[in-house]
Amino acid sequence: MNIIVVGKGGRARSWHLSQGLRYFLFFCLALLPIGLGVAGFFLTTFLAGKPIVNDEVHKEWQAKLNKQKSRLSELKQGADEELMALTVRLAEMQARLTRLDAVGERLIQTARLNKGEFDFSREPAMGGPQEQLPDSGYKAPTIDQAIAELEAELEDREIQLDVLSTLIKNRKIREDAFIAGRPIRRGWMSSRYGRRTDPFNGRLAWHAGMDFAGKEGSDIVAVASGVVTWASDRSGYGLMIEINHGSGYSTRYAHCKELDVSVGDVVRKGQTIAAMGSTGRSTGPHVHFEVYKNGRTVDPAAYIHRTHP
C-alpha cells in the first residue's frame, strides 16, 4: 500500500506501508471510539461528585439576586406610596371642588343673581369649530393629567367665586349706604319738607326736613349705614345725631330723648340709634329727619319710599 502526498510546486512524495503497519493503523482506528467512550465515562463520573461552580461564585450570584430582590421591593413600595399620595390628593381636590360648588350656590342665592349666569350644577359650556387630528390611538389619561384637569377646574371655579364675592361686596356696600326707609319703626308723618306755618309764631317758615311723630321713647333707626359725626345737643335741634353715609350724603335725627351712639361709631342700616323725645324746639315727641346731599338739604320724601339702589 502506497500513500502519496502532493506538496507545493506539484511535487509529490509517496510512502510505502508494509502489511504489518497497515494492521497496526487499522487496530488503532478500531479502538479510538472505545477509548473516547471510556474517557467520557470517567470524566462524567468525576464531574458528578464535584460542583460545576465553586462556593465563591455561588455566593456572589446569590448576593446579586438578593440585592435585585431588595431593589424591586423598594421600587414597589415607593410606587405604592406614590399612588396612595396621588389618591389622597385627588380625593382632597374633589372634596374642595364640591365645597366650592356649595359655596357658589349659596353666594348666588345670597346675592340674588340670575342662576343661569353662574350655574355650578352643570358642566361649563364649551364649543367652537374643531379640527380633526390624526388618529394616533386613544390613550387613557394618566394620574398627572387627571390632577391637572382637576386643578384647572378648581382654578376656574375659584375665579367665578372671586367674581361673585366682589359683586356681593359691592352690592352690599351700595345697599348699606343706600338711604331708604323711614327713621322710625312706629309712628306717622306729622310735617313735610318745605314751606309751612311755624307752630310757635304762626309765620311762614322753611322746614328743612320731615317730622315723624310717635310715642315718647320709641326707637329711632338709621336709614343707611355710616359713621356718626355728631351725637350731642344742638341749638334748635335738641339732642341730635348726624351720620355721614359717604358719596356726599348725610342724615340728621333731632329732638331725641336719649342717644344710643357716640361720635365715631359705625352704625348699620336699621340699627336703633336713639329714643324719640321732644328736646329742643319741639311741640311734642317726634323725630325731625333731614337728608343732606353735598352739603345741602333735599326732600326726604324722595328717599323714604326707595327700596333698592
Side-chain angles (χ1 to χ4, degrees):
M1 180 178 179
N2 294 326
I3 296 177
I4 300 173
V5 177
V6 179
K8 295 180 180 181
R11 295 180 180 180
R13 298 182 65 181
S14 61
W15 288 275
H16 178 72
L17 298 179
S18 62
Q19 185 176 1
L21 184 57
R22 289 198 302 269
Y23 288 150
F24 177 75
L25 291 175
F26 176 77
F27 179 77
C28 289
L29 292 175
L31 292 180
L32 181 61
I34 298 174
L36 292 175
V38 174
F41 172 77
F42 282 104
L43 180 61
T44 303
T45 303
F46 174 76
L47 293 177
K50 187 176 181 180
I52 298 177
V53 295
N54 56 34
D55 292 341
E56 293 182 358
V57 176
H58 181 269
K59 290 179 179 179
E60 184 178 354
W61 287 359
Q62 188 65 41
K64 290 182 179 179
L65 181 61
N66 293 337
K67 186 176 181 180
Q68 292 176 353
K69 288 182 178 180
S70 176
R71 179 58 179 168
L72 182 62
S73 178
E74 291 176 359
L75 291 175
K76 184 177 181 302
Q77 182 178 358
D80 292 341
E81 292 176 355
E82 184 176 356
L83 180 60
M84 180 63 69
L86 290 175
T87 303
V88 172
R89 185 180 176 190
L90 282 174
E92 291 176 349
M93 294 176 67
Q94 188 64 48
R96 182 182 173 192
L97 182 60
T98 303
R99 181 182 62 82
L100 288 177
D101 287 344
V103 172
E105 293 289 343
R106 188 174 71 249
L107 287 177
I108 290 174
Q109 296 174 0
T110 302
R112 300 191 298 275
L113 296 174
N114 183 5
K115 190 173 181 179
E117 184 177 0
F118 295 97
D119 191 353
F120 288 89
S121 63
R122 296 185 301 177
E123 292 294 327
M126 295 180 288
Q130 179 174 302
E131 181 180 351
Q132 189 68 31
L133 298 176
D135 186 11
S136 57
Y138 173 76
K139 293 183 180 180
T142 63
I143 295 180
D144 291 338
Q145 292 173 339
I147 291 177
E149 291 177 1
L150 265 180
E151 287 178 341
E153 191 172 356
L154 282 175
E155 183 178 356
D156 177 69
R157 297 298 170 88
E158 287 174 348
I159 291 174
Q160 293 187 47
L161 289 180
D162 287 341
V163 174
L164 282 176
S165 179
T166 301
L167 291 175
I168 291 174
K169 288 179 181 178
N170 292 339
R171 175 172 291 182
K172 182 65 175 174
I173 291 173
R174 290 196 302 270
E175 289 180 350
D176 287 348
F178 182 71
I179 299 175
R182 304 195 307 170
I184 59 173
R185 291 194 174 95
R186 294 181 180 180
W188 63 95
M189 186 182 66
S190 57
S191 181
R192 291 185 177 275
Y193 175 87
R195 296 179 182 275
R196 71 171 184 178
T197 300
D198 189 284
F200 289 95
N201 56 31
R203 297 177 183 177
L204 189 64
W206 178 260
H207 188 228
M210 293 182 69
D211 292 337
F212 293 88
K215 182 179 179 180
E216 184 177 4
S218 57
D219 291 342
I220 297 174
V221 299
V223 296
S225 299
V227 179
V228 177
T229 56
W230 184 281
S232 182
D233 186 71
R234 192 157 184 168
S235 177
Y237 289 90
L239 289 177
M240 187 197 79
I241 294 174
E242 183 176 78
I243 301 175
N244 189 318
H245 306 286
S247 301
Y249 285 95
S250 62
T251 54
R252 288 181 178 180
Y253 312 79
H255 307 305
C256 303
K257 179 181 180 180
E258 296 175 354
L259 305 181
D260 297 336
V261 294
S262 303
V263 174
D265 288 350
V266 177
V267 297
R268 301 184 307 274
K269 187 172 185 176
Q271 177 182 337
T272 299
I273 58 176
M276 187 180 295
S278 186
T279 58
R281 196 170 185 268
S282 171
T283 61
H286 75 287
V287 57
H288 173 77
F289 177 59
E290 294 181 353
V291 177
Y292 282 79
K293 181 179 181 181
N294 298 323
R296 303 179 65 178
T297 60
V298 292
D299 189 353
Y303 298 90
I304 62 176
H305 299 297
R306 296 199 299 181
T307 57
H308 58 83

mmCIF file of all heavy atoms in Angstrom, residues 30-63:
data_model
loop_
_atom_site.group_PDB
_atom_site.id
_atom_site.type_symbol
_atom_site.label_atom_id
_atom_site.label_comp_id
_atom_site.label_asym_id
_atom_site.label_seq_id
_atom_site.Cartn_x
_atom_site.Cartn_y
_atom_site.Cartn_z
ATOM 1 N N ALA A 30 -9.872 1.293 15.118
ATOM 2 C CA ALA A 30 -10.957 0.497 15.704
ATOM 3 C C ALA A 30 -11.079 0.740 17.202
ATOM 4 O O ALA A 30 -12.172 0.749 17.771
ATOM 5 C CB ALA A 30 -10.743 -0.982 15.399
ATOM 6 N N LEU A 31 -9.978 0.968 17.871
ATOM 7 C CA LEU A 31 -10.020 1.178 19.320
ATOM 8 C C LEU A 31 -10.320 2.638 19.713
ATOM 9 O O LEU A 31 -10.611 2.913 20.877
ATOM 10 C CB LEU A 31 -8.664 0.752 19.928
ATOM 11 C CG LEU A 31 -8.344 -0.743 19.877
ATOM 12 C CD1 LEU A 31 -6.973 -0.992 20.516
ATOM 13 C CD2 LEU A 31 -9.396 -1.548 20.629
ATOM 14 N N LEU A 32 -10.237 3.599 18.749
ATOM 15 C CA LEU A 32 -10.445 5.027 19.088
ATOM 16 C C LEU A 32 -11.833 5.309 19.674
ATOM 17 O O LEU A 32 -11.944 5.972 20.716
ATOM 18 C CB LEU A 32 -10.195 5.887 17.847
ATOM 19 C CG LEU A 32 -10.347 7.402 18.047
ATOM 20 C CD1 LEU A 32 -9.331 7.891 19.095
ATOM 21 C CD2 LEU A 32 -10.136 8.141 16.722
ATOM 22 N N PRO A 33 -12.948 4.821 19.100
ATOM 23 C CA PRO A 33 -14.271 5.089 19.714
ATOM 24 C C PRO A 33 -14.384 4.495 21.109
ATOM 25 O O PRO A 33 -14.979 5.092 22.000
ATOM 26 C CB PRO A 33 -15.239 4.436 18.742
ATOM 27 C CG PRO A 33 -14.504 4.383 17.441
ATOM 28 C CD PRO A 33 -13.073 4.122 17.810
ATOM 29 N N ILE A 34 -13.819 3.316 21.276
ATOM 30 C CA ILE A 34 -13.898 2.692 22.602
ATOM 31 C C ILE A 34 -13.174 3.546 23.626
ATOM 32 O O ILE A 34 -13.629 3.788 24.742
ATOM 33 C CB ILE A 34 -13.321 1.273 22.548
ATOM 34 C CG1 ILE A 34 -14.156 0.421 21.574
ATOM 35 C CG2 ILE A 34 -13.317 0.644 23.932
ATOM 36 C CD1 ILE A 34 -13.577 -0.975 21.343
ATOM 37 N N GLY A 35 -12.021 4.082 23.258
ATOM 38 C CA GLY A 35 -11.239 4.921 24.171
ATOM 39 C C GLY A 35 -11.962 6.210 24.513
ATOM 40 O O GLY A 35 -11.961 6.672 25.666
ATOM 41 N N LEU A 36 -12.565 6.819 23.504
ATOM 42 C CA LEU A 36 -13.314 8.057 23.768
ATOM 43 C C LEU A 36 -14.491 7.804 24.687
ATOM 44 O O LEU A 36 -14.802 8.611 25.574
ATOM 45 C CB LEU A 36 -13.796 8.658 22.428
ATOM 46 C CG LEU A 36 -12.708 9.209 21.494
ATOM 47 C CD1 LEU A 36 -13.309 9.651 20.172
ATOM 48 C CD2 LEU A 36 -11.964 10.360 22.172
ATOM 49 N N GLY A 37 -15.156 6.655 24.514
ATOM 50 C CA GLY A 37 -16.293 6.340 25.390
ATOM 51 C C GLY A 37 -15.846 6.136 26.825
ATOM 52 O O GLY A 37 -16.491 6.602 27.771
ATOM 53 N N VAL A 38 -14.763 5.442 27.003
ATOM 54 C CA VAL A 38 -14.251 5.218 28.358
ATOM 55 C C VAL A 38 -13.835 6.527 29.003
ATOM 56 O O VAL A 38 -14.110 6.806 30.181
ATOM 57 C CB VAL A 38 -13.076 4.230 28.314
ATOM 58 C CG1 VAL A 38 -12.423 4.106 29.694
ATOM 59 C CG2 VAL A 38 -13.552 2.859 27.844
ATOM 60 N N ALA A 39 -13.167 7.385 28.223
ATOM 61 C CA ALA A 39 -12.741 8.683 28.765
ATOM 62 C C ALA A 39 -13.942 9.529 29.161
ATOM 63 O O ALA A 39 -13.949 10.203 30.197
ATOM 64 C CB ALA A 39 -11.880 9.401 27.735
ATOM 65 N N GLY A 40 -14.993 9.506 28.342
ATOM 66 C CA GLY A 40 -16.202 10.271 28.672
ATOM 67 C C GLY A 40 -16.860 9.763 29.927
ATOM 68 O O GLY A 40 -17.365 10.541 30.750
ATOM 69 N N PHE A 41 -16.873 8.422 30.121
ATOM 70 C CA PHE A 41 -17.490 7.855 31.320
ATOM 71 C C PHE A 41 -16.765 8.314 32.578
ATOM 72 O O PHE A 41 -17.376 8.744 33.552
ATOM 73 C CB PHE A 41 -17.464 6.320 31.202
ATOM 74 C CG PHE A 41 -17.894 5.629 32.454
ATOM 75 C CD1 PHE A 41 -19.236 5.532 32.804
ATOM 76 C CD2 PHE A 41 -16.941 5.056 33.310
ATOM 77 C CE1 PHE A 41 -19.600 4.898 33.963
ATOM 78 C CE2 PHE A 41 -17.327 4.421 34.471
ATOM 79 C CZ PHE A 41 -18.657 4.342 34.803
ATOM 80 N N PHE A 42 -15.425 8.213 32.540
ATOM 81 C CA PHE A 42 -14.665 8.629 33.726
ATOM 82 C C PHE A 42 -14.787 10.148 33.984
ATOM 83 O O PHE A 42 -14.848 10.586 35.140
ATOM 84 C CB PHE A 42 -13.192 8.246 33.552
ATOM 85 C CG PHE A 42 -12.938 6.792 33.805
ATOM 86 C CD1 PHE A 42 -12.734 5.902 32.749
ATOM 87 C CD2 PHE A 42 -12.908 6.301 35.116
ATOM 88 C CE1 PHE A 42 -12.510 4.557 32.995
ATOM 89 C CE2 PHE A 42 -12.675 4.948 35.341
ATOM 90 C CZ PHE A 42 -12.489 4.074 34.297
ATOM 91 N N LEU A 43 -14.862 10.950 32.904
ATOM 92 C CA LEU A 43 -14.994 12.409 33.089
ATOM 93 C C LEU A 43 -16.341 12.743 33.721
ATOM 94 O O LEU A 43 -16.427 13.597 34.619
ATOM 95 C CB LEU A 43 -14.829 13.109 31.733
ATOM 96 C CG LEU A 43 -14.941 14.638 31.752
ATOM 97 C CD1 LEU A 43 -13.843 15.231 32.644
ATOM 98 C CD2 LEU A 43 -14.837 15.206 30.336
ATOM 99 N N THR A 44 -17.402 12.076 33.258
ATOM 100 C CA THR A 44 -18.731 12.320 33.823
ATOM 101 C C THR A 44 -18.790 11.926 35.292
ATOM 102 O O THR A 44 -19.359 12.631 36.133
ATOM 103 C CB THR A 44 -19.781 11.532 33.031
ATOM 104 O OG1 THR A 44 -19.725 11.907 31.645
ATOM 105 C CG2 THR A 44 -21.172 11.806 33.565
ATOM 106 N N THR A 45 -18.199 10.790 35.603
ATOM 107 C CA THR A 45 -18.176 10.333 36.995
ATOM 108 C C THR A 45 -17.428 11.324 37.876
ATOM 109 O O THR A 45 -17.825 11.626 39.003
ATOM 110 C CB THR A 45 -17.524 8.941 37.089
ATOM 111 O OG1 THR A 45 -18.239 8.032 36.234
ATOM 112 C CG2 THR A 45 -17.549 8.430 38.507
ATOM 113 N N PHE A 46 -16.366 11.871 37.370
ATOM 114 C CA PHE A 46 -15.566 12.831 38.154
ATOM 115 C C PHE A 46 -16.337 14.135 38.401
ATOM 116 O O PHE A 46 -16.355 14.673 39.510
ATOM 117 C CB PHE A 46 -14.258 13.117 37.400
ATOM 118 C CG PHE A 46 -13.423 14.192 38.036
ATOM 119 C CD1 PHE A 46 -12.680 13.929 39.188
ATOM 120 C CD2 PHE A 46 -13.400 15.479 37.501
ATOM 121 C CE1 PHE A 46 -11.929 14.928 39.762
ATOM 122 C CE2 PHE A 46 -12.652 16.470 38.085
ATOM 123 C CZ PHE A 46 -11.904 16.198 39.228
ATOM 124 N N LEU A 47 -17.010 14.635 37.335
ATOM 125 C CA LEU A 47 -17.739 15.906 37.484
ATOM 126 C C LEU A 47 -18.980 15.765 38.335
ATOM 127 O O LEU A 47 -19.443 16.712 38.962
ATOM 128 C CB LEU A 47 -18.125 16.447 36.097
ATOM 129 C CG LEU A 47 -16.952 16.887 35.206
ATOM 130 C CD1 LEU A 47 -17.476 17.336 33.846
ATOM 131 C CD2 LEU A 47 -16.151 17.996 35.876
ATOM 132 N N ALA A 48 -19.564 14.555 38.382
ATOM 133 C CA ALA A 48 -20.774 14.337 39.176
ATOM 134 C C ALA A 48 -20.500 14.517 40.657
ATOM 135 O O ALA A 48 -21.362 14.922 41.429
ATOM 136 C CB ALA A 48 -21.349 12.949 38.905
ATOM 137 N N GLY A 49 -19.355 14.253 41.106
ATOM 138 C CA GLY A 49 -19.026 14.395 42.524
ATOM 139 C C GLY A 49 -18.433 15.728 42.867
ATOM 140 O O GLY A 49 -18.035 15.943 44.015
ATOM 141 N N LYS A 50 -18.352 16.646 41.897
ATOM 142 C CA LYS A 50 -17.739 17.948 42.150
ATOM 143 C C LYS A 50 -18.636 19.058 41.588
ATOM 144 O O LYS A 50 -19.152 18.924 40.471
ATOM 145 C CB LYS A 50 -16.365 18.002 41.454
ATOM 146 C CG LYS A 50 -15.569 19.245 41.795
ATOM 147 C CD LYS A 50 -14.202 19.181 41.151
ATOM 148 C CE LYS A 50 -13.392 20.405 41.507
ATOM 149 N NZ LYS A 50 -12.052 20.365 40.895
ATOM 150 N N PRO A 51 -18.958 20.147 42.309
ATOM 151 C CA PRO A 51 -19.839 21.218 41.821
ATOM 152 C C PRO A 51 -19.227 21.908 40.602
ATOM 153 O O PRO A 51 -18.017 22.009 40.470
ATOM 154 C CB PRO A 51 -19.927 22.176 43.008
ATOM 155 C CG PRO A 51 -18.697 21.921 43.815
ATOM 156 C CD PRO A 51 -18.416 20.467 43.661
ATOM 157 N N ILE A 52 -20.177 22.338 39.683
ATOM 158 C CA ILE A 52 -19.728 22.995 38.451
ATOM 159 C C ILE A 52 -19.081 24.331 38.751
ATOM 160 O O ILE A 52 -18.095 24.729 38.151
ATOM 161 C CB ILE A 52 -20.918 23.170 37.492
ATOM 162 C CG1 ILE A 52 -21.475 21.813 37.112
ATOM 163 C CG2 ILE A 52 -20.514 23.941 36.245
ATOM 164 C CD1 ILE A 52 -22.697 21.882 36.239
ATOM 165 N N VAL A 53 -19.686 25.087 39.730
ATOM 166 C CA VAL A 53 -19.103 26.365 40.153
ATOM 167 C C VAL A 53 -18.712 26.238 41.609
ATOM 168 O O VAL A 53 -19.316 25.490 42.371
ATOM 169 C CB VAL A 53 -20.111 27.524 39.951
ATOM 170 C CG1 VAL A 53 -20.418 27.723 38.486
ATOM 171 C CG2 VAL A 53 -21.409 27.254 40.719
ATOM 172 N N ASN A 54 -17.762 27.019 41.986
ATOM 173 C CA ASN A 54 -17.313 26.947 43.369
ATOM 174 C C ASN A 54 -18.201 27.786 44.274
ATOM 175 O O ASN A 54 -19.103 28.516 43.837
ATOM 176 C CB ASN A 54 -15.849 27.390 43.459
ATOM 177 C CG ASN A 54 -15.656 28.791 42.883
ATOM 178 O OD1 ASN A 54 -16.527 29.644 42.999
ATOM 179 N ND2 ASN A 54 -14.499 29.006 42.263
ATOM 180 N N ASP A 55 -17.984 27.736 45.569
ATOM 181 C CA ASP A 55 -18.823 28.416 46.565
ATOM 182 C C ASP A 55 -18.750 29.937 46.436
ATOM 183 O O ASP A 55 -19.743 30.637 46.658
ATOM 184 C CB ASP A 55 -18.394 27.988 47.970
ATOM 185 C CG ASP A 55 -18.717 26.523 48.230
ATOM 186 O OD1 ASP A 55 -19.579 25.980 47.487
ATOM 187 O OD2 ASP A 55 -18.117 25.937 49.147
ATOM 188 N N GLU A 56 -17.600 30.456 46.087
ATOM 189 C CA GLU A 56 -17.466 31.910 45.998
ATOM 190 C C GLU A 56 -18.340 32.482 44.892
ATOM 191 O O GLU A 56 -19.016 33.498 45.067
ATOM 192 C CB GLU A 56 -16.001 32.268 45.759
ATOM 193 C CG GLU A 56 -15.097 31.933 46.945
ATOM 194 C CD GLU A 56 -13.661 32.354 46.689
ATOM 195 O OE1 GLU A 56 -13.412 32.872 45.567
ATOM 196 O OE2 GLU A 56 -12.825 32.168 47.596
ATOM 197 N N VAL A 57 -18.311 31.804 43.717
ATOM 198 C CA VAL A 57 -19.153 32.267 42.612
ATOM 199 C C VAL A 57 -20.621 32.153 42.980
ATOM 200 O O VAL A 57 -21.426 33.046 42.713
ATOM 201 C CB VAL A 57 -18.833 31.464 41.343
ATOM 202 C CG1 VAL A 57 -19.783 31.864 40.215
ATOM 203 C CG2 VAL A 57 -17.394 31.689 40.926
ATOM 204 N N HIS A 58 -20.993 31.065 43.639
ATOM 205 C CA HIS A 58 -22.387 30.863 44.039
ATOM 206 C C HIS A 58 -22.842 31.947 45.013
ATOM 207 O O HIS A 58 -23.948 32.489 44.903
ATOM 208 C CB HIS A 58 -22.527 29.472 44.662
ATOM 209 C CG HIS A 58 -23.923 29.167 45.091
ATOM 210 N ND1 HIS A 58 -24.385 29.450 46.360
ATOM 211 C CD2 HIS A 58 -24.966 28.620 44.406
ATOM 212 C CE1 HIS A 58 -25.644 29.092 46.444
ATOM 213 N NE2 HIS A 58 -26.024 28.569 45.271
ATOM 214 N N LYS A 59 -21.997 32.265 45.978
ATOM 215 C CA LYS A 59 -22.338 33.305 46.943
ATOM 216 C C LYS A 59 -22.468 34.673 46.269
ATOM 217 O O LYS A 59 -23.344 35.474 46.628
ATOM 218 C CB LYS A 59 -21.271 33.358 48.036
ATOM 219 C CG LYS A 59 -21.270 32.153 48.970
ATOM 220 C CD LYS A 59 -20.181 32.280 50.010
ATOM 221 C CE LYS A 59 -20.183 31.081 50.959
ATOM 222 N NZ LYS A 59 -19.109 31.187 51.976
ATOM 223 N N GLU A 60 -21.605 34.940 45.310
ATOM 224 C CA GLU A 60 -21.670 36.219 44.615
ATOM 225 C C GLU A 60 -22.981 36.350 43.845
ATOM 226 O O GLU A 60 -23.636 37.397 43.880
ATOM 227 C CB GLU A 60 -20.478 36.338 43.663
ATOM 228 C CG GLU A 60 -20.414 37.687 42.951
ATOM 229 C CD GLU A 60 -19.193 37.779 42.049
ATOM 230 O OE1 GLU A 60 -18.366 36.847 42.081
ATOM 231 O OE2 GLU A 60 -19.083 38.785 41.314
ATOM 232 N N TRP A 61 -23.363 35.259 43.141
ATOM 233 C CA TRP A 61 -24.630 35.285 42.409
ATOM 234 C C TRP A 61 -25.822 35.441 43.358
ATOM 235 O O TRP A 61 -26.769 36.162 43.063
ATOM 236 C CB TRP A 61 -24.776 33.985 41.603
ATOM 237 C CG TRP A 61 -23.879 33.929 40.398
ATOM 238 C CD1 TRP A 61 -23.015 34.891 39.976
ATOM 239 C CD2 TRP A 61 -23.760 32.847 39.494
ATOM 240 N NE1 TRP A 61 -22.340 34.487 38.858
ATOM 241 C CE2 TRP A 61 -22.788 33.226 38.512
ATOM 242 C CE3 TRP A 61 -24.340 31.585 39.380
ATOM 243 C CZ2 TRP A 61 -22.413 32.398 37.475
ATOM 244 C CZ3 TRP A 61 -23.992 30.771 38.338
ATOM 245 C CH2 TRP A 61 -23.025 31.168 37.390
ATOM 246 N N GLN A 62 -25.772 34.767 44.473
ATOM 247 C CA GLN A 62 -26.869 34.851 45.438
ATOM 248 C C GLN A 62 -26.979 36.264 46.015
ATOM 249 O O GLN A 62 -28.082 36.779 46.218
ATOM 250 C CB GLN A 62 -26.641 33.835 46.573
ATOM 251 C CG GLN A 62 -27.817 33.693 47.528
ATOM 252 C CD GLN A 62 -29.038 33.123 46.852
ATOM 253 O OE1 GLN A 62 -28.924 32.203 46.044
ATOM 254 N NE2 GLN A 62 -30.205 33.679 47.157
ATOM 255 N N ALA A 63 -25.835 36.906 46.268
ATOM 256 C CA ALA A 63 -25.849 38.278 46.802
ATOM 257 C C ALA A 63 -26.462 39.245 45.784
ATOM 258 O O ALA A 63 -27.248 40.126 46.132
ATOM 259 C CB ALA A 63 -24.427 38.696 47.167
#
